[in-house]
């Protein structure tokens, strides 16, 4: 969400930021709505004040038996009531339009973010390791099938396309990757492990920026309430519409939603920051806008596992925390012995809530290129404003919005793809990276089926 006061004071800054993200200047409409809203609010307050004054005068006029004056004042009060109702309706309509407009606009890029319309404008920051060059490398689909551990057809029969059934050593390898990532982040990088819900309400999705703009990319479900639940909610004062027969819940596209919303509507002691959280969860994405992209294999699935990293910080800490989070994600790839590069995303390629993002791209021999495996973003106070997440310094009365950061540490399925492809040999075996051998019960290779 955006600070309307800051937009009033620096409209050119906001227009430049949004234009760099491909949006035509929206501040003129924002300021028009803001002016109309404030005018309606002022009119309501003025009418309220005059109505209160006139009401007192009616009593005085009646006490003096001046019926003509009392009648005139009562007529004025009725007119003021009508005026208040009309202005309140304008206030509600204009206020809703302004809130919807502000909610639909992405974050303003950090000044360090390079300008660019799409991924071609991203800037490489560094590389690690030499890309593995193989003669006729097989992709992960063929490798997984050869190991008897990857079955897309069985998944399609029960769930449709973009699902997979993992079995045998491949399933264990995926589990090993997730556990290793969690252990590394919690024991060496200061993250606290959390096991959060993966079903959340609409306001949680709004808080992190998935709603309202990306409704089509989400999976949702409904939970039917019992009659006693509805009765209890209405008795407790819940609006009858909100206390309806069912709850709409969303499946999280990333644990960023659950972890970041832990500070929703809270005032956090800044002495406890930065707060670093991590979780290994299933994630669910409809991929509505990616038809025809990466339809083969596990690169773009409706359901996948991911180790998420989230940090809650003060404004002063967030830049350094961003670097720490990027390094934490990079370290996983380094210890797995995978070649990767770190990219600073341009204005046209960043996510909706981000003000600055680094992508980690891992080398895939079958595609002879680097592919995204982690995206690490600093959102500034953008999400905190949408969630009303504030911090407070000890001994001070005032509060301020916190900064939130999130990143993958890493996407487990894509890491599995990278390990299978980079550690394959010509005979169909896959070597297990050294750091994963203990998680595999001492197994050092996955052997192909006869």
């Amino acid at each position: 969400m955006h600070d309307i006061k800051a937009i009033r004071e620096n409209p050119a800054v906001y227009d430049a930021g949004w234009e760099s993200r491909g949006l035509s200047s929206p501040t003129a409409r924002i300021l028009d709505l803001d002016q109309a809203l404030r005018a309606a609010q002022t009119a309501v307050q003025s009418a309220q004040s005059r109505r209160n004054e006139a009401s007192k005068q009616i009593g005085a006029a009646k006490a003096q038996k001046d019926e003509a004056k009392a009648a005139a004042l009562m007529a004025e009060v009725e007119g003021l009531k009508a005026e208040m109702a009309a202005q309140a309706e304008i206030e509600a309509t204009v206020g809703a339009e302004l809130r919807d407009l502000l909610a639909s606009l992405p974050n303003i890029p950090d000044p360090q973010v390079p300008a660019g319309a799409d991924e071609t404008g991203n800037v490489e920051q560094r590389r690690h390791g030499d890309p593995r060059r193989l003669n006729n490398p097989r992709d992960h689909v063929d490798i997984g099938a050869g190991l008897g551990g990857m079955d897309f057809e069985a998944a399609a029969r029960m769930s449709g396309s973009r699902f997979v059934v993992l079995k045998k050593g491949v399933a264990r390898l995926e589990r090993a990757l997730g556990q290793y990532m969690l252990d590394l982040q919690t024991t060496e990088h200061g993250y606290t492990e959390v096991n959060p819900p993966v079903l959340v309400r609409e306001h949680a999705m709004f808080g992190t920026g998935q709603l309202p703009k990306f409704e089509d990319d989400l999976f949702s479900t409904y939970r039917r309430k019992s009659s006693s639940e509805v009765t209890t909610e209405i008795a407790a004062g819940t609006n009858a519409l909100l206390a309806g027969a069912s709850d709409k819940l969303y499946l999280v596209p990333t644990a960023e939603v659950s972890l970041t919303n832990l500070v929703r509507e809270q005032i956090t002691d800044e002495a406890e920051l930065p707060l670093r959280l991590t979780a290994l969860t299933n994630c669910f994405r409809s991929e509505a806008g990616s038809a025809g992209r990466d339809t083969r294999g596990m690169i773009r699935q409706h359901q996948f596992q991911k180790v998420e990293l989230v940090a809650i910080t003060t404004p002063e800490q967030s830049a350094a925390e961003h670097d720490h989070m990027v390094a934490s994600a990079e370290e996983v790839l380094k210890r797995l012995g995978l070649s990767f590069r770190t990219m600073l995303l341009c204005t046209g390629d960043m996510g909706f809530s981000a003000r600055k993002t680094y992508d980690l791209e891992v080398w895939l021999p079958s595609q002879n290129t680097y592919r995204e495996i982690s995206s690490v973003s600093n959102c500034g106070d953008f999400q905190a404003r949408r969630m009303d997440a504030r911090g407070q310094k000890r001994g001070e009365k005032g509060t301020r919005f916190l900064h939130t950061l999130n990143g993958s540490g890493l996407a487990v399925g894509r890491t599995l793809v990278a390990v299978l492809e980079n550690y394959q040999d010509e005979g169909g075996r896959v070597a297990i990276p050294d750091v994963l051998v203990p998680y595999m019960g001492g197994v050092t290779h996955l052997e192909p089926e006869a």
Side-chain angles (χ1 to χ4, degrees):
M1 208 64 163
H2 300 282
D3 182 358
I4 186 63
K5 181 179 178 182
I7 296 174
R8 286 187 211 125
E9 295 173 350
N10 298 288
V13 172
Y14 280 83
D15 270 341
W18 283 318
E19 286 171 1
S20 73
R21 302 194 70 162
L23 300 173
S24 58
S25 308
T27 58
R29 181 59 180 160
I30 292 171
L31 295 177
D32 284 346
L33 290 169
D34 178 54
Q35 186 175 14
L37 176 62
R38 289 190 289 162
Q41 291 170 336
T42 299
V44 169
Q45 292 168 2
S46 297
Q48 175 75 52
S49 176
R50 174 55 192 155
R51 189 189 72 169
N52 292 341
E53 182 182 353
S55 296
K56 294 178 181 178
Q57 291 173 348
I58 290 171
K62 287 188 173 183
Q64 296 171 0
K65 301 187 182 303
D66 189 343
E67 295 299 330
K69 184 176 181 180
L73 287 168
M74 285 189 286
E76 182 183 1
V77 166
E78 289 302 312
L80 289 168
K81 287 181 179 179
E83 173 66 12
M84 288 170 58
Q87 292 297 328
E89 185 175 349
I90 293 172
E91 180 183 355
T93 301
V94 173
E97 184 177 350
L98 179 59
R99 287 191 299 274
D100 289 346
L101 177 55
L102 290 174
S104 72
L105 293 169
N107 205 348
I108 298 297
D110 185 280
Q112 297 178 350
V113 174
D118 52 36
E119 65 272 9
T120 60
N122 298 340
V123 179
E124 184 174 324
Q125 303 295 293
R126 52 189 171 270
R127 292 193 183 199
H128 176 83
D130 296 322
R132 190 173 183 199
R133 309 290 181 177
L134 303 171
N135 292 323
N136 301 315
R138 293 183 299 162
D139 72 4
H140 66 281
V141 177
D142 290 338
I143 297 169
L147 296 169
M150 198 174 288
D151 192 338
F152 292 93
E153 292 183 2
R157 288 195 297 272
M158 68 178 87
S159 303
S161 62
R162 297 197 178 185
F163 291 91
V164 65
V165 174
L166 300 182
K167 299 182 289 186
K168 302 180 180 179
V170 177
R172 184 170 187 176
L173 179 56
E174 184 191 48
R175 175 161 54 92
L177 282 164
Q179 296 303 314
Y180 171 69
M181 293 175 192
L182 272 184
D183 287 348
L184 177 62
Q185 303 301 350
T186 55
T187 61
E188 296 190 29
H189 298 151
Y191 289 88
T192 298
E193 183 175 352
V194 179
N195 186 0
V198 296
L199 284 167
V200 298
R201 290 180 171 174
E202 181 179 352
H203 61 251
M205 288 288 194
F206 178 85
T208 45
Q210 281 76 21
L211 288 177
K213 188 175 178 63
F214 302 104
E215 173 89 28
D216 290 344
D217 290 326
L218 303 172
F219 284 107
S220 59
T221 186
Y222 290 86
R223 183 189 71 86
R224 181 164 294 279
K225 297 178 184 177
S226 67
S227 58
S228 61
E229 284 182 289
V230 177
T231 301
T232 300
E233 289 184 20
I234 293 176
T238 303
N239 180 284
L241 183 62
L242 295 178
S246 62
D247 279 327
K248 185 175 184 179
L249 296 172
Y250 290 88
L251 290 159
V252 296
T254 162
E256 166 201 344
V257 178
S258 306
L259 295 178
T260 310
N261 272 278
L262 288 174
V263 294
R264 175 185 188 82
E265 298 172 359
Q266 302 296 306
I267 297 176
T268 303
D269 183 351
E270 292 188 6
E272 299 175 359
L273 303 178
L275 179 63
R276 297 172 180 162
L277 307 169
T278 185
L280 169 62
T281 68
N282 279 316
C283 305
F284 305 87
R285 299 183 185 179
S286 73
E287 301 289 0
S290 58
R293 296 180 58 195
D294 298 314
T295 55
R296 176 176 168 84
M298 291 182 62
I299 296 296
R300 199 176 293 277
Q301 295 272 284
H302 289 316
Q303 175 183 322
F304 58 95
Q305 289 193 333
K306 184 155 66 79
V307 171
E308 185 69 10
L309 307 176
V310 160
I312 312 298
T313 78
T314 65
E316 294 82 10
Q317 296 168 326
S318 68
E321 193 63 24
H322 197 193
D323 292 339
H324 173 83
M325 187 175 287
V326 172
S328 298
E330 288 178 335
E331 189 63 24
V332 179
L333 293 169
K334 290 178 181 178
R335 298 199 189 185
L336 290 173
L338 297 171
S339 175
F340 67 92
R341 65 181 183 179
T342 303
M343 307 291 291
L344 175 60
L345 299 196
C346 68
T347 53
D349 199 33
M350 289 196 306
F352 179 82
S353 297
R355 69 191 301 262
K356 185 179 181 181
T357 298
Y358 292 98
D359 270 8
L360 308 187
E361 298 179 349
V362 69
W363 178 257
L364 295 184
S366 71
Q367 299 185 20
N368 196 40
T369 192
Y370 291 94
R371 295 298 305 269
E372 180 202 337
I373 197 167
S374 173
S375 190
V376 185
S377 298
N378 187 342
C379 298
D381 64 3
F382 182 81
Q383 293 178 327
R385 288 181 178 277
R386 296 168 77 98
M387 297 186 301
D388 193 20
R390 297 172 180 268
Q392 185 176 49
K393 293 181 179 179
R394 290 183 182 177
E396 296 186 7
K397 293 183 178 180
T399 63
R400 56 179 177 168
F401 289 109
L402 298 170
H403 279 204
T404 63
L405 302 92
N406 64 80
S408 305
L410 305 163
V412 179
R414 292 194 178 190
T415 310
L416 175 65
V417 167
V419 169
L420 291 176
E421 292 200 6
N422 282 278
Y423 281 87
Q424 65 177 301
D425 65 22
E426 294 182 357
R429 293 203 313 167
V430 174
I432 303 300
D434 291 344
V435 293
L436 297 181
V437 170
Y439 293 84
M440 295 291 291
V443 173
T444 60
H445 289 80
L446 299 183
E447 302 288 346
E449 290 189 333

